[in-house]
């Protein structure tokens, strides 16, 4: 069984505030700009790539309105989703204790309110920048995410808590997400008994997925890995092998990030594997970094479909892009 499962946002499906409002793609994927009408017995989970609220994005926020990071089209997709999960690529804290590394980020915690207002329900902290302001900054970010009404995933009081599966919804069948940071952290000691991001050993991650599948055969399991080589368009052979291992262990879908590029999308044993969906809100300007996608999973009691929504990023702002 999964220990210490965190509850859903407000104990029910999260609804967006109405006021705020390359690669190869198999034919089994839906590449649509406008979502079709789905049955009431469907849960929709949307997952985005990297969200940076520092550096160039900070300048944009300070010079304009933070709400302008979101377009009506993006809000519309989020509004039609039961849950929206993003990869928060920076600590959101007032604590200033920068790690000794090349790229160090920090965002203002009050900016999390805007993410919540535009529909985010969960934020992933299992990445290589969540600890940029030290262990106290990581812990504070975790609690700030909770303070602003969202569920932090991929971090916790210790490694065991950080690595646990998070229950997203249990209305039609259990839907879980397991997040894991697969990169070495610069100047951040691996201390599994202290506040950590999820970076358990690979065999342990495989066992976690397998145990959850055995305990709850009908569950839908999403795995989100922060991994791969930056600025590359294809995954490594090792990543392909590992992705298949996770599906073999019981994962239903892999939606991953880190490379700042849109990488190969494939299907293995009927399960979608997104090796990297790229950036979402980010300040990189090279074409390879500004084309990305986000993923909308339509999950029923017996089936699921993955909808791939392409985006192009202009001046830090994601916009629904070309097919």
């Amino acid at each position: 069984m999964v220990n210490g499962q965190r509850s859903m946002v407000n104990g029910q499906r999260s609804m967006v505030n109405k006021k705020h409002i390359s690669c190869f793609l198999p034919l089994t994927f839906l590449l649509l700009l406008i979502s079709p009408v789905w049955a009431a017995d469907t849960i929709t989970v949307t997952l985005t790539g990297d969200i940076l609220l520092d550096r160039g994005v900070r300048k944009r926020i300070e010079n304009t309105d933070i709400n302008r990071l979101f377009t009506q089209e993006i809000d519309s997709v989020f509004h039609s989703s039961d849950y929206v999960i993003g990869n928060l690529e920076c600590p959101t804290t007032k604590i200033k204790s920068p790690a000794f590394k090349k790229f160090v980020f920090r965002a203002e915690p009050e900016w999390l309110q805007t993410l919540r207002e535009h529909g985010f329900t969960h934020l992933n902290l299992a990445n290589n920048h969540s600890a940029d302001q030290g262990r106290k900054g990581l812990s504070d970010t975790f609690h700030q995410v909770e303070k602003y009404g969202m569920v932090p995933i991929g971090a916790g009081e210790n490694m065991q808590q950080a690595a646990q599966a998070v229950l997203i919804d249990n209305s039609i069948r259990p839907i879980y997400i397991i997040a894991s940071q697969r990169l070495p952290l610069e100047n951040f000691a691996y201390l599994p008994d202290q506040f950590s991001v999820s970076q358990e050993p690979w065999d342990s991650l495989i066992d976690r997925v397998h145990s959850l599948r055995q305990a709850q055969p009908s569950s839908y399991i999403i795995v989100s890995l922060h991994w791969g080589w930056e600025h590359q368009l294809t995954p490594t052979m090792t990543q392909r092998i590992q992705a298949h291992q996770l599906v073999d262990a019981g994962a239903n879908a892999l939606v991953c990030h880190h490379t700042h590029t849109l990488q190969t999308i494939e299907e293995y044993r009927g399960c979608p594997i997104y090796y990297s969906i790229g950036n979402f809100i980010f300040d990189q300007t090279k074409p390879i970094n500004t084309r990305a996608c986000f993923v909308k999973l339509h999950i029923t009691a017996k089936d699921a479909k993955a909808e791939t929504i392409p985006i192009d990023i202009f001046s830090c702002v994601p916009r629904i892009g070309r097919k």
Side-chain angles (χ1 to χ4, degrees):
M1 300 295 292
V2 179
N3 297 321
Q5 294 165 350
R6 302 194 191 102
S7 62
M8 297 177 287
V9 179
N10 299 325
Q12 58 185 8
R13 297 191 201 175
S14 174
M15 299 302 294
V16 181
N17 188 328
K18 292 183 180 179
K19 294 182 181 179
H20 304 278
I21 308 295
S22 79
C23 65
F24 68 88
L25 303 177
L27 293 177
T28 52
F29 285 81
L30 302 178
L31 191 56
L32 304 174
L33 297 185
I34 301 176
S35 301
V37 176
W38 297 87
D41 60 351
T42 300
I43 298 296
T44 53
V45 180
T46 295
L47 299 100
T48 80
D50 299 342
I51 301 169
L52 175 66
L53 301 177
D54 198 7
R55 205 168 60 186
V57 183
R58 173 184 285 273
K59 292 179 181 178
R60 182 177 178 87
I61 292 171
E62 293 174 345
N63 292 330
T64 60
D65 179 359
I66 187 172
N67 288 290
R68 294 180 67 179
L69 293 174
F70 295 87
T71 65
Q72 274 192 327
E73 290 176 315
I74 296 294
D75 280 343
S76 179
V77 175
F78 286 6
H79 179 69
S80 65
S81 304
D82 293 299
Y83 303 96
V84 181
I85 304 172
N87 177 51
L88 184 62
E89 193 81 357
C90 55
T92 50
T93 178
K94 297 293 186 182
I95 295 172
K96 297 180 180 180
S97 181
F100 186 71
K101 53 186 290 194
K102 184 176 181 180
F103 297 107
V104 180
F105 300 135
R106 186 189 67 84
E108 305 307 323
E110 57 267 27
W111 293 343
L112 292 171
Q113 179 66 35
T114 301
L115 298 186
R116 183 67 191 95
E117 288 173 350
H118 285 273
F120 281 97
T121 59
H122 297 67
L123 292 176
N124 175 49
L125 305 183
N127 59 62
N128 60 318
H129 285 290
S130 291
D132 278 4
Q133 300 298 326
R135 211 170 293 274
K136 290 183 178 179
L138 171 63
S139 175
D140 187 52
T141 297
F142 183 97
H143 295 299
Q144 292 288 347
V145 171
E146 290 185 319
K147 174 183 173 181
Y148 285 97
M150 294 172 284
V151 177
I153 61 177
E157 295 289 341
N158 51 54
M159 188 62 63
Q160 181 178 1
Q161 290 187 16
Q164 69 184 359
V166 174
L167 179 64
I168 299 174
D169 192 284
N170 196 27
S171 58
I172 57 172
R173 61 165 154 163
I175 301 173
Y176 291 95
I177 185 167
I178 298 175
S180 186
Q181 209 285 119
R182 306 313 307 167
L183 308 166
L185 295 178
E186 299 175 70
N187 292 301
F188 188 81
Y190 182 86
L191 299 173
D193 294 330
Q194 297 188 26
F195 212 100
S196 304
V197 298
S198 174
Q199 51 179 160
E200 64 182 332
W202 184 256
D203 289 347
S204 176
L205 175 60
I206 293 293
D207 289 343
R208 184 176 301 280
V209 174
H210 178 71
S211 296
L212 181 56
R213 172 59 61 213
Q214 294 298 113
Q216 300 193 35
S218 66
S219 62
Y220 191 88
I221 303 172
I222 305 164
V223 176
S224 181
L225 305 180
H226 201 70
W227 66 345
W229 291 96
E230 289 188 342
H231 312 301
Q232 301 300 307
L233 293 175
T234 56
T236 66
M237 182 57 66
T238 297
Q239 285 178 273
R240 289 181 181 273
I241 293 171
Q242 291 180 332
H244 294 182
Q245 288 175 340
L246 284 166
V247 173
D248 290 339
N252 295 100
L254 270 68
V255 184
C256 309
H257 30 67
H258 170 65
T259 67
H260 305 296
T261 58
L262 177 59
Q263 289 194 335
T264 301
I265 304 169
E266 71 176 28
E267 183 177 341
Y268 172 69
R269 294 182 58 186
C271 300
I273 299 174
Y274 294 80
Y275 286 95
S276 175
I277 58 176
N279 293 325
F280 185 65
I281 295 174
F282 225 88
D283 63 350
Q284 293 171 326
T285 58
K286 293 182 179 180
I288 197 175
N289 304 128
T290 58
R291 189 183 183 199
C293 76
F294 56 95
V295 180
K296 192 170 187 179
L297 300 172
H298 303 262
I299 304 167
T300 67
K302 299 293 184 180
D303 198 10
K305 294 182 183 297
E307 181 184 356
T308 306
I309 303 176
I311 59 172
D312 292 301
I313 303 168
F314 301 95
S315 299
C316 309
V317 179
R319 301 178 185 276
I320 302 295
R322 59 187 183 275
K323 292 187 178 181

